Amino acid sequence: MAFKKVWCALALGFLLPFSCAHTDFFTSIGHMTDLINTEKDLVVSLKDYIKAEESKLEQIKKWAEKLDQLTATATKDPEGFLGHPVNAFKLMKRLNTEWGELESLVLKDMSDGFISNMTIQRQFFPNDEDQTGAAKALLRLQDTYNLDTDTLSRGNLPGVKHKSFLTAEDCFELGKIAYTEADYYHTELWMEQALKQLDEGEVSSADKVYILDYLSYAVYQQGDLAKAMALTRRLLELDPEHQRANGNMKYFEYIMAKEKEANKSSTDSEEQEKETEVKKKDYLPERRKYEMLCRGEGLKMTPRRQKRLFCRYYDGNRNPRYILGPVKQEDEWDKPRIVRFLDIISDEEIETVKELAKPRLSRATVHDPETGKLTTAHYRVSKSAWLSGYESPVVSRINTRIQDLTGLDVSTAEELQVANYGVGGQYEPHFDFGRKDEPDAFKELGTGNRIATWLFYMSDVSAGGATVFPEVGASVWPRKGTAVFWYNLFPSGEGDYSTRHAACPVLVGNKWVSNKWLHERGQEFRRPCTLSELE
Ligand code: OGA
Ligand code: FE2
């Protein structure tokens, strides 16, 4: 799949969608924690309902027992019993009013409170799209981090605090979602896992016949006719009358026979193989590099190059604010130069920024170059919000810090963007700067292109979530309280294509970052151009 040429959304307030009650829960842990609390409240309400229902039953039971005793005595000697005037009166009273009251009690609906809570909360529940999104996130993680299906199903992930596993039914569900995406590779993996768990004796409502039906189709779609036939045979052993399977079996036999014939003159299939190989090659290089870097399997820098990476105390080029208290700076990469600042944002500042952003987080958007509009995209899965320096002294202080330490004017920069990536949240390879062939959305701002990126890591990530540069092979790991900085443009104003980068999917945990995109205007004397175009 070719990556669309798009840039990140601009900080144009009027273009940003207002955050609404329901937008893609699965993209951010922040919103999902609300759901956990909602669920907790609903359980309390459900328990109240159970209690009310139990006390109602208790009352009914008592009544039944009382009447049971009474009628037992009465029926033994009805006339003697009714000879007592009190008994006669009580019988009238019971039949005329008390049975009616009991009827009302039996009819009384105890579920009102729970049902109305449920109705209110349901408006904020995830929908099918959220469920599919969360399932796709699992499949994405499986690919990126080379997780085998069994490991993922058993929940054996690095750094997890709360182990959780998938049932055969969950696996079947994942397989079905892959199937509806025509993703037969994952359909096969997950249907096979569901089957395996059932074969191992897991008690489940998942049905082997259904699973085999999907599985054989997915296998057939991927060209393994022999295996598809074996699976269909297995299905027919369980359900000999299965119509589709019987039909498929005949069809497979027919194709098999035809293929055998064709195999005698085999040049065709060889050519086909070559073709698919070419197709794979077209697509894989960047994707494969990206995924390798995400797994931390990047090619290591040569020792010679590595030796030229240093760490130092940095005073912002003799900036008065940093002369007495310089900050720690580390070289992360040489070309493009990526530096990391340590202890550059405090835990308190992080909390403030997160609290300011939380109510405003909405699904991050990208610019669609065809329509010129902001849209959501599978390649950017996170929630973000913009914070202005005017709304909080903390944000303003952070902006000043960026200005002092980069030596760049922040008055032309976009507002501080805060992003939260949930599990599976990612931003596939992209450039932060606008390319020449794109309709110029930066023109409206009048501040030029995005000259540089400053990125704060506001959380550690248990597993995954690196920022990677596939062109050059750099992986930068999130470390809470640090920030990285790089130039997107050469001093000439030309875009530096080696800065292509991505945010890897979060495997376990939750990733908070905030970033500042600095623009060209205002930097004319701070970063003057040189005579060369590409340095
Ligand atoms: C971005 C970006 C990287 C990250 O928001 O443009 O590249 O690691 N983020 O979050
Ligand atoms: Fe970026």
Side-chain angles (χ1 to χ4, degrees):
M1 167 185 46
F3 293 110
K4 273 197 191 163
K5 291 172 191 155
V6 268
W7 340 297
C8 324
L10 295 170
L12 297 172
F14 58 89
L15 276 179
L16 289 171
F18 295 103
S19 68
C20 41
H22 182 267
T23 34
D24 307 322
F25 282 110
F26 67 92
T27 55
S28 131
I29 290 220
H31 281 131
M32 286 199 291
T33 50
D34 294 347
L35 291 180
I36 298 266
N37 288 325
T38 304
E39 240 185 2
K40 192 174 146 216
D41 293 346
L42 278 179
V43 171
V44 170
S45 177
L46 181 63
K47 280 189 169 165
D48 286 345
Y49 158 68
I50 293 171
K51 253 190 226 143
E53 199 77 77
E54 274 172 350
S55 110
K56 169 178 150 180
L57 257 185
E58 206 50 46
Q59 274 174 277
I60 296 172
K61 241 195 244 167
K62 267 191 200 140
W63 171 265
E65 272 157 23
K66 191 178 102 183
L67 266 286
D68 200 23
Q69 272 178 12
L70 209 67
T71 49
T73 351
T75 45
K76 263 183 219 147
D77 175 19
E79 280 181 25
F81 182 81
L82 289 174
H84 195 307
V86 169
N87 282 341
F89 164 70
K90 284 193 141 180
L91 179 66
M92 296 305 113
K93 181 169 168 253
R94 265 204 315 278
L95 288 171
N96 188 39
T97 55
E98 291 180 12
W99 273 103
E101 281 165 11
L102 178 83
E103 186 186 22
S104 308
L105 178 64
V106 170
L107 283 176
K108 192 168 170 196
D109 189 355
M110 310 308 279
S111 67
D112 283 1
F114 171 67
I115 293 298
S116 63
N117 274 339
M118 187 76 189
T119 312
I120 293 168
Q121 295 299 347
R122 189 177 274 136
Q123 313 171 59
F124 308 111
F125 274 14
N127 55 23
D128 285 353
E129 204 186 315
D130 291 303
Q131 192 177 332
T132 316
K136 284 194 215 157
L138 267 180
L139 303 182
R140 193 159 57 231
L141 289 174
Q142 176 174 27
D143 287 346
T144 308
Y145 295 105
N146 262 347
L147 304 170
D148 75 63
T149 315
D150 199 59
T151 309
L152 195 50
S153 180
R154 315 281 172 196
N156 290 328
L157 300 179
V160 289
K161 265 196 248 157
H162 305 277
K163 225 176 118 124
S164 177
F165 56 88
L166 295 169
T167 61
E169 216 175 303
D170 294 334
C171 296
F172 181 45
E173 185 68 32
L174 280 174
K176 272 198 290 192
I177 284 172
Y179 174 84
T180 54
E181 299 279 306
D183 171 359
Y184 300 117
Y185 169 73
H186 284 111
T187 311
E188 180 181 352
L189 288 181
W190 286 100
M191 291 300 173
E192 229 156 36
Q193 182 66 24
L195 205 57
K196 183 177 161 197
Q197 290 184 204
L198 290 183
D199 286 344
E200 285 168 0
E202 186 179 317
V203 183
S204 169
S205 62
D207 186 338
K208 280 190 192 176
V209 169
Y210 279 104
I211 296 173
L212 282 163
D213 196 8
Y214 279 100
L215 182 56
S216 62
Y217 186 75
V219 166
Y220 161 69
Q221 278 293 335
Q222 293 177 94
D224 192 343
L225 205 57
K227 190 172 169 191
M229 279 175 93
L231 289 162
T232 309
R233 218 167 280 131
R234 199 175 152 194
L235 192 165
L236 286 171
E237 275 163 26
L238 296 170
D239 182 1
E241 306 299 314
H242 198 285
Q243 253 186 353
R244 191 178 27 251
N246 276 306
N248 284 346
M249 203 59 192
K250 285 204 191 89
Y251 176 65
F252 290 157
E253 277 159 3
Y254 163 75
I255 303 246
M256 197 71 137
K258 225 170 98 180
E259 267 191 7
K260 261 192 198 136
E261 198 128 300
N263 265 354
K264 285 173 195 155
S265 55
S266 65
T267 43
D268 264 12
S269 64
E270 269 167 31
E271 246 166 52
Q272 241 174 9
E273 249 166 52
K274 256 186 217 159
E275 218 171 84
T276 47
E277 221 163 82
V278 169
K279 253 189 219 155
K280 267 186 200 160
K281 267 188 192 149
D282 268 355
Y283 163 64
L284 274 177
E286 181 174 59
R287 179 100 218 150
R288 200 183 267 162
K289 256 194 225 162
Y290 162 54
E291 294 183 345
M292 275 178 67
L293 291 171
C294 288
R295 296 193 292 268
E297 291 169 7
L299 288 175
K300 293 277 169 293
M301 235 188 204
T302 59
R304 205 187 149 93
R305 254 175 95 184
Q306 195 143 24
K307 262 197 218 150
R308 291 197 209 116
L309 301 180
F310 293 101
C311 61
R312 62 189 74 78
Y313 280 102
Y314 184 67
D315 66 4
N317 218 357
R318 300 194 60 73
N319 185 300
R321 269 193 275 262
Y322 291 94
I323 288 180
L324 289 182
V327 294
K328 285 177 253 173
Q329 191 190 50
E330 285 176 0
D331 296 331
E332 281 280 345
W333 205 258
D334 51 1
K335 218 170 177 241
R337 181 154 192 248
I338 307 167
V339 292
R340 190 197 293 257
F341 294 91
L342 309 184
D343 300 322
I344 206 65
I345 181 165
S346 70
D347 288 354
E348 292 75 30
E349 286 170 329
I350 288 175
E351 279 318 302
T352 308
V353 169
K354 276 162 66 172
E355 287 314 312
L356 284 170
K358 268 182 196 166
R360 275 185 260 166
L361 287 178
S362 60
R363 176 85 187 257
T365 49
V366 290
H367 237 274
D368 183 334
E370 270 140 44
T371 62
K373 290 203 175 108
L374 292 173
T375 54
T376 60
H378 68 91
Y379 52 84
R380 188 178 188 195
V381 184
S382 64
K383 285 194 169 171
S384 60
W386 300 91
L387 301 183
S388 152
Y390 296 113
E391 61 190 290
S392 156
V394 172
V395 177
S396 163
R397 190 161 74 209
I398 287 170
N399 291 343
T400 309
R401 190 171 308 152
I402 296 172
Q403 172 156 303
D404 288 339
L405 292 172
T406 60
L408 298 176
D409 187 345
V410 288
S411 68
T412 55
E414 290 166 57
E415 290 181 341
L416 189 71
Q417 182 179 226
V418 183
N420 178 213
Y421 300 81
V423 168
Q426 61 164 358
Y427 195 174
E428 286 184 10
H430 64 279
F431 301 106
D432 281 352
F433 60 88
R435 260 69 34 69
K436 281 185 178 151
D437 57 347
E438 290 169 335
D440 198 350
F442 293 122
K443 220 173 242 164
E444 294 171 45
L445 294 171
T447 51
N449 211 337
R450 285 178 179 154
I451 192 172
T453 300
W454 176 288
L455 179 71
F456 284 112
Y457 293 108
M458 304 204 303
S459 69
D460 292 312
V461 183
S462 304
T467 309
V468 300
F469 295 71
E471 287 292 314
V472 297
S475 305
V476 178
W477 294 90
R479 268 150 64 190
K480 190 177 180 189
T482 70
V484 287
F485 173 79
W486 69 86
Y487 278 105
N488 295 306
L489 307 178
F490 293 113
S492 62
E494 283 298 311
D496 180 352
Y497 284 75
S498 72
T499 62
R500 190 168 170 84
H501 60 281
C504 297
V506 172
L507 177 56
V508 179
N510 176 19
K511 177 180 173 188
W512 283 92
V513 294
S514 60
N515 65 293
K516 194 89 181 154
W517 281 308
L518 297 127
H519 280 236
E520 286 175 292
R521 289 295 87 75
Q523 326 304 352
E524 292 80 358
F525 297 104
R526 294 167 182 259
R527 193 194 190 217
C529 53
T530 57
L531 293 177
S532 152
E533 195 179 15
L534 293 180
E535 346 180 301

